[in-house]
Amino acid sequence: MDAAFVALVVIVVVALAFDYTNGFHDAANAIAVAVSTKALTPRVALALAAVMNLVGALLSTEVAKTVGEGIIDAPVGGEGLEIVFAALVGAITWNMITWYFGLPSSSSHALIGGLVGAALAAAHSVQWMGILDKVVIPMVLSPLVGFGLGYLFMLVILWTFRRANVSRANRGFRYAQIVSSATMALGHGLQDAQKTMGIITLALFTAGEIDDFEVPLWVVLAAAGAISAGTYAGGFRIMRTLGRRIIQLTPAGGFAAQTVASSVMVTTATVFAVPVSTTHITTTSIMGVGSTRRLSAVRWGVAGNIVVAWVVTLPAAGAVAALAYLVTDLVVG
């Protein structure tokens, strides 16, 4: 067993570990609102999210190809494996830091920032136009779309049910949230599990184990299983931030926020094949729904802390990945 193969195995294991941390880091995206409105208990919600994450991860590989081919030029040989390894270290480190402080930052952008940081440290080519088209523009637009659609959809619900019995309507929306929670988790699987598939496929291509950038079935199954297991492990710190600290939603508001967020996630994954942040979309959808009461109903201080985490994620994960590459290159070299 040569050193290159051992390095590849290590990278696959680390990538699946990242996928697992992504699962418990972002589990709150799919279930926090349903739990806070008492539509689902935490454990039932986590089980539902785990199953639907698995289903979503098996449906498509388009985002995986974007992450693997569209961020940096595919590296080759030992240096390429070091770049992929360092990118994963940067992403996992940032995931753990933000999880510890309960900040719902983007695992997607942590991974992309890690790839860019490691590539720059290795003096390797970065596809800057690809980052602009596939990362920066969606990063800016998707939260705005989430906020705007959340606001408008909630207004439609409020007008449609303006004469309904409140308790009966709330009961109905709690049942509807089971469906919207499942769709949220499906969208999360379509987006986030695919990013790990892309990284593992990039490592396989770099090591010469595959000749073209097609995601092997075993990679799809492994990534789907890892994110599903991580989701079931839970993410209660971040769940509290999304479910209660931004704004306490009603069942109708929870249904509106989840429906909008899941629609954006599924559309960006299947139609545009761009990796967007499930965290960004979920949070801004909640803000948009909450703003229909009054702007002051949203705790903008908490929202501001979240936005700071968003802005810092790409460079912070990139910096950690760059350092990890330099250390790895020193050890290996």
Side-chain angles (χ1 to χ4, degrees):
M1 189 179 297
D2 60 15
F5 184 76
V6 172
L8 179 61
V9 170
V10 170
I11 287 172
V12 171
V13 171
V14 173
L16 293 176
F18 167 78
D19 207 23
Y20 182 86
T21 67
N22 194 342
F24 75 70
H25 188 278
D26 288 0
N29 294 348
I31 63 172
V33 177
V35 171
S36 72
T37 60
K38 295 181 173 58
L40 294 168
T41 63
R43 282 297 166 193
V44 170
L46 282 167
L48 175 65
V51 171
M52 295 309 293
N53 257 309
L54 181 65
V55 173
L58 295 173
L59 289 180
S60 171
T61 58
E62 293 306 309
V63 172
K65 293 176 183 177
T66 298
V67 171
E69 294 182 301
I71 306 303
I72 64 174
D73 291 340
V76 293
E79 182 186 61
L81 292 176
E82 289 176 33
I83 290 173
V84 177
F85 175 75
L88 288 167
V89 171
I92 291 173
T93 301
W94 186 248
N95 261 6
M96 298 308 295
I97 290 170
T98 51
W99 169 81
Y100 180 80
F101 289 104
L103 290 173
S105 69
S106 169
S107 296
S108 309
H109 294 156
L111 185 58
I112 290 166
L115 273 174
V116 174
L120 290 175
H124 188 77
S125 298
V126 175
Q127 296 184 30
W128 293 112
M129 285 306 299
I131 291 173
L132 177 64
D133 293 340
K134 300 292 187 179
V135 179
V136 176
I137 292 175
M139 181 176 72
V140 173
L141 290 182
S142 58
L144 296 176
V145 170
F147 184 92
L149 289 181
Y151 183 84
L152 293 174
F153 189 46
M154 189 60 198
L155 286 182
V156 170
I157 288 176
L158 289 172
W159 187 85
T160 303
F161 293 91
R162 65 191 184 281
R163 294 190 179 91
N165 178 276
V166 175
S167 61
R168 188 179 304 153
N170 281 341
R171 186 164 60 250
F173 278 115
R174 285 194 179 97
Y175 287 124
Q177 273 195 273
I178 298 173
V179 177
S180 61
S181 295
T183 311
M184 278 281 292
L186 180 79
H188 186 261
L190 273 169
Q191 277 286 345
D192 284 36
Q194 285 197 53
K195 289 147 194 170
T196 301
M197 294 178 205
I199 285 292
I200 294 176
T201 306
L202 176 60
L204 293 171
F205 182 82
T206 298
E209 295 293 325
I210 55 175
D211 296 325
D212 51 21
F213 206 93
E214 289 297 326
V215 183
L217 178 61
W218 71 265
V219 173
V220 175
L221 294 174
I227 199 168
S228 181
T231 299
Y232 191 70
F236 292 99
R237 288 175 183 268
I238 294 170
M239 195 188 304
R240 283 194 293 271
T241 300
L242 278 178
R244 295 183 183 276
R245 288 181 61 200
I246 295 174
I247 186 171
Q248 179 64 52
L249 293 176
T250 63
F255 170 75
Q258 289 181 309
T259 301
V260 166
S262 60
S263 299
V264 175
M265 283 189 281
V266 171
T267 301
T268 51
T270 57
V271 178
F272 300 107
V274 294
V276 298
S277 168
T278 55
T279 307
H280 291 192
I281 295 166
T282 304
T283 307
T284 52
S285 297
I286 292 172
M287 291 177 187
V289 168
S291 296
T292 58
R293 298 185 200 172
R294 61 186 188 283
L295 288 176
S296 60
V298 178
R299 297 184 180 94
W300 295 105
V302 175
N305 292 337
I306 293 170
V307 171
V308 169
W310 291 354
V311 173
V312 172
T313 291
L314 280 169
V320 175
L323 180 61
Y325 174 82
L326 295 174
V327 172
T328 303
D329 190 52
L330 188 64
V331 172
V332 173

